[in-house]
């Protein structure tokens, strides 16, 4: 125990001047033995009193320091977006969840082709399982079942990967947003995990090849300090201000469209939002048969001088997801009923005007997107490929991706491209969307 306690002290001396260190964690799932915890405490008193210590990352009660005040109750596999808002006993949006995430995040098709032999590209088979996790996570069967039930059948790798990015974004954004808009009953959240150390289908915001998937952008959008978000529990529209400055005279705008891009509902509300505050703004009314099985909710937050501060798009169903709480296991909650979002795969096709330009040295690409038609252009994926290999250039950082354009909307997007991302090849720009023929 003395050796381990001295080791802690050495690590604290090594790292204590780094501003990113928030807390010293003394154990993961289990508590340290009481005598060891006492020795840890003595070492911390001598080396760093500027930060608190966390005795364990799970819900435990130490005889030395009392309750940990955090939880590690999962889930670790796919759960519906409303899970985070409805659950009050497991990993849902309350307290500090030290380790959780909605399970598999299959990467874009280009990465799938690099990680799997061509004979195993489609359909999912034992090679897909090999690139999953271990034990309960040695397959993506649960994820795939939810994907097919909610979004419909897919018949090849490209179709699977394309709709998987929609599902990845939806699942990850809901988790992060729920912990944002449920403040102060939520105090923190850590996603399991950032990325995998080998080509895998599970637990990653970007893959082994450093390519972000839809979950990366869902996490980023769901964590915006100034945001406008949809509450899956009560159909509310919420303004989030996690900054130190007030939001004065901002307007929350709500529009609801059916899958034919027909405007069904429009509303707006102007409000002041204090610093570090969440403000209820509007409510999405029940739509019933008028919306069909699925519909879009387009939310915008606009400043007093007309600047768009945040935008959020949701695809929802008149048939809600219903978790089967009684069948919950430690790593997930199965479903009694699934939402019906299958109409997204048969959206009316539309054309998008796309212009792009590379910097002379290939270090940047600027993209101008415009939707001139009267149809929503849904979930457009932007990519830069290496000209000869066809591999995605990575790592590159897009200012935005998986972009949806409302009728008449334009968007400017850019990406920084480090030289090594191209591996000496010329860059080629590509795009495609759920209902947009790509190039």
């Amino acid at each position: 125990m003395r050796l381990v306690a001295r080791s802690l002290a050495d690590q604290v001396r090594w790292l204590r001047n780094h501003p990113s260190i928030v807390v010293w964690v003394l154990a993961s799932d289990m508590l340290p033995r009481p005598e060891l915890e006492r020795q840890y405490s003595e070492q911390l008193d001598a080396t760093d009193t500027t930060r608190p210590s966390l005795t364990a990352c799970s819900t435990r009660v130490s005889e030395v320091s009392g309750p940990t005040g955090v939880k590690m109750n999962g889930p670790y596999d796919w759960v519906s977006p409303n899970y985070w808002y409805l659950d009050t006993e497991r990993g849902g949006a309350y307290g500090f969840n030290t380790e959780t995430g909605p399970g598999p995040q299959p990467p874009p098709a280009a990465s799938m082709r690099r990680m799997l032999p061509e004979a195993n590209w489609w359909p999912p088979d034992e090679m897909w399982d090999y690139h999953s996790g271990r034990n309960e996570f040695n397959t993506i069967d649960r994820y795939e079942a939810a994907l097919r039930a909610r979004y419909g059948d897919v018949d090849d790798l490209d179709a699977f990967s394309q709709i998987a990015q929609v599902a990845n974004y939806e699942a990850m954004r809901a988790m992060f947003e729920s912990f944002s808009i449920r403040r102060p009953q939520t105090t923190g959240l850590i996603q399991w995990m950032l990325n995998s150390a080998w080509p895998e289908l599970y637990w990653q915001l970007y893959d082994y090849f450093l390519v972000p998937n839809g979950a990366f952008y869902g996490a980023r959008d769901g964590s915006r300090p100034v945001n406008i978000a949809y509450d899956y529990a009560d159909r509310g529209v919420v303004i989030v201000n996690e900054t130190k400055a007030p939001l004065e005279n901002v307007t929350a705008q709500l529009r609801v469209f059916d899958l034919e891009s027909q405007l069904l509902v429009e509303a707006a509300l102007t409000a002041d939002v204090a610093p570090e505050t969440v403000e209820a703004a509007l409510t999405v009314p029940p739509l019933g048969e008028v919306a069909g099985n699925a519909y879009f909710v387009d939310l915008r937050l606009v400043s007093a001088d007309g600047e768009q501060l945040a935008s959020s798009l949701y695809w929802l169903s008149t048939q809600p997801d219903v978790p089967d709480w009684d069948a919950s296991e430690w790593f997930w909650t199965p479903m009694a009923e699934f939402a019906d979002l299958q109409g997204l795969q048969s959206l009316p096709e539309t054309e998008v005007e796309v212009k792009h330009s590379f910097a002379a040295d290939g270090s940047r690409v600027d993209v101008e997107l415009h939707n001139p038609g009267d149809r929503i252009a849904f979930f457009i994926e932007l990519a830069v490929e290496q000209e000869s290999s066809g591999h995605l250039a990575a790592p590159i950082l897009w200012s935005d991706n998986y972009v949806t354009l409302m009728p008449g909307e334009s968007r400017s997007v850019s990406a920084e491209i480090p030289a090594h991302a191209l591996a000496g090849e010329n860059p080629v720009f590509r795009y495609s969307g759920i209902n947009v023929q790509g190039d």
Side-chain angles (χ1 to χ4, degrees):
M1 289 187 190
R2 288 193 299 273
L3 175 63
V4 174
R6 291 199 305 271
S7 176
L8 171 69
D10 286 345
Q11 293 177 66
V12 171
R13 291 188 186 97
W14 170 40
L15 296 169
R16 62 188 175 185
N17 290 332
H18 288 262
S20 60
I21 303 295
V22 176
V23 60
W24 301 114
V25 179
L26 306 182
S28 179
D29 299 34
M30 307 298 290
L31 292 168
R33 294 184 182 184
E35 177 55 30
L36 179 57
E37 184 182 346
R38 293 187 184 95
Q39 292 190 35
Y40 280 156
S41 181
E42 292 172 2
Q43 294 288 359
L44 288 172
D45 286 345
T47 54
D48 185 14
T49 58
T50 68
R51 300 174 178 89
S53 61
L54 180 61
T55 313
C57 293
S58 56
T59 304
R60 305 286 177 183
V61 179
S62 164
E63 66 179 61
V64 177
S65 56
T68 60
V70 298
K71 64 180 182 179
M72 187 196 287
N73 298 337
Y76 298 96
D77 209 322
W78 185 89
V79 290
S80 57
N82 62 356
Y83 167 95
W84 308 99
Y85 293 85
L86 301 177
D87 174 68
T88 58
E89 300 178 6
R90 302 164 188 83
Y94 67 94
F96 195 118
N97 196 336
T98 63
E99 179 184 282
T100 191
Q105 283 92 44
S111 291
M112 296 282 284
R113 288 191 172 92
R114 293 184 71 179
M115 66 185 273
L116 297 169
E118 185 172 355
N120 303 96
W121 285 353
W122 192 259
D125 60 10
E126 69 281 354
M127 188 62 71
W128 290 49
D129 295 343
Y130 182 71
H131 286 275
S132 296
R134 298 174 63 187
N135 302 319
E136 290 87 353
F137 312 107
N138 67 348
T139 177
I140 62 165
D141 284 353
R142 289 177 289 269
Y143 174 90
E144 188 183 359
L147 192 77
R148 291 181 181 275
R150 299 175 84 246
Y151 288 101
D153 287 335
V154 290
D155 54 13
D156 60 34
L157 176 59
D158 287 307
F160 168 85
S161 179
Q162 188 178 52
I163 208 68
Q165 303 321 310
V166 178
N168 292 347
Y169 179 98
E170 176 196 37
M172 194 62 69
R173 178 179 62 176
M175 182 180 77
F176 277 97
E177 274 189 347
S178 69
F179 274 75
S180 176
I181 74 177
R182 281 288 190 267
R183 296 177 68 192
Q185 71 187 53
T186 56
T187 53
L189 170 72
I190 299 175
Q191 147 71 6
W192 179 266
M193 51 193 186
L194 181 64
N195 72 313
S196 295
W198 82 307
E200 195 173 15
L201 299 171
Y202 262 87
W203 303 317
Q204 56 192 357
L205 300 185
Y206 55 89
D207 62 35
Y208 177 77
F209 307 107
L210 306 182
V211 177
N213 65 69
F216 174 91
Y217 297 96
R220 191 166 72 170
D221 289 352
S223 303
R224 290 180 294 209
V226 174
N227 199 15
I228 183 167
Y230 174 76
D231 188 319
Y232 282 84
D234 62 10
R235 305 177 64 85
V237 175
V238 179
I239 302 172
V240 175
N241 181 16
E242 293 185 352
T243 73
K244 299 291 185 181
L247 297 175
E248 297 179 343
N249 201 31
V250 294
T251 300
Q253 299 175 347
L254 160 69
R255 292 187 298 173
V256 180
F257 295 86
D258 65 17
L259 297 189
E260 296 292 326
S261 301
Q262 299 300 308
L263 181 63
L264 303 178
V265 176
E266 189 170 17
L269 181 142
T270 300
D272 296 327
V273 186
E276 299 183 320
T277 299
V278 176
E279 189 79 30
L282 300 163
T283 300
V284 179
L287 298 173
E289 294 182 359
V290 67
N293 291 335
Y295 55 95
F296 293 109
V297 172
D298 178 49
L299 304 178
R300 308 289 170 116
L301 184 65
V302 180
S303 69
D305 59 3
E307 177 189 1
Q308 182 170 285
L309 303 176
S311 66
S312 301
L313 182 79
Y314 299 83
W315 40 100
L316 305 172
S317 174
T318 53
Q319 176 180 307
D321 288 304
V322 181
D324 186 354
W325 302 112
D326 292 338
S328 294
E329 300 182 58
W330 68 270
F331 62 95
W332 84 311
T333 294
M335 303 300 294
E337 297 180 25
F338 290 99
D340 182 359
L341 300 167
Q342 298 186 29
L344 291 173
Q345 289 208 67
S346 55
L347 288 171
E349 289 195 2
T350 190
E351 293 185 1
V352 173
E353 296 174 353
V354 181
K355 298 178 181 179
H356 76 278
S357 60
F358 286 102
D361 61 358
S363 64
R364 178 185 173 92
V365 62
D366 292 285
V367 183
E368 297 293 331
L369 302 165
H370 176 61
N371 180 4
D374 57 3
R375 304 286 191 182
I376 295 169
F378 181 53
F379 222 72
I380 304 168
E381 180 183 65
L382 309 176
V384 174
E385 294 180 355
Q386 299 167 3
E387 185 177 38
S388 298
S389 69
H391 294 160
L392 291 175
I396 68 175
L397 182 62
W398 287 97
S399 62
D400 199 5
N401 209 333
Y402 298 107
V403 176
T404 295
L405 298 175
M406 309 310 288
E409 185 175 13
S410 298
R411 191 85 60 88
S412 297
V413 182
S414 63
E416 301 295 332
I417 310 172
H420 61 275
L422 293 169
E425 298 187 27
N426 293 323
V428 177
F429 172 73
R430 303 287 190 201
Y431 71 92
S432 64
I434 296 298
N435 63 331
V436 176
Q437 289 295 324
D439 180 28

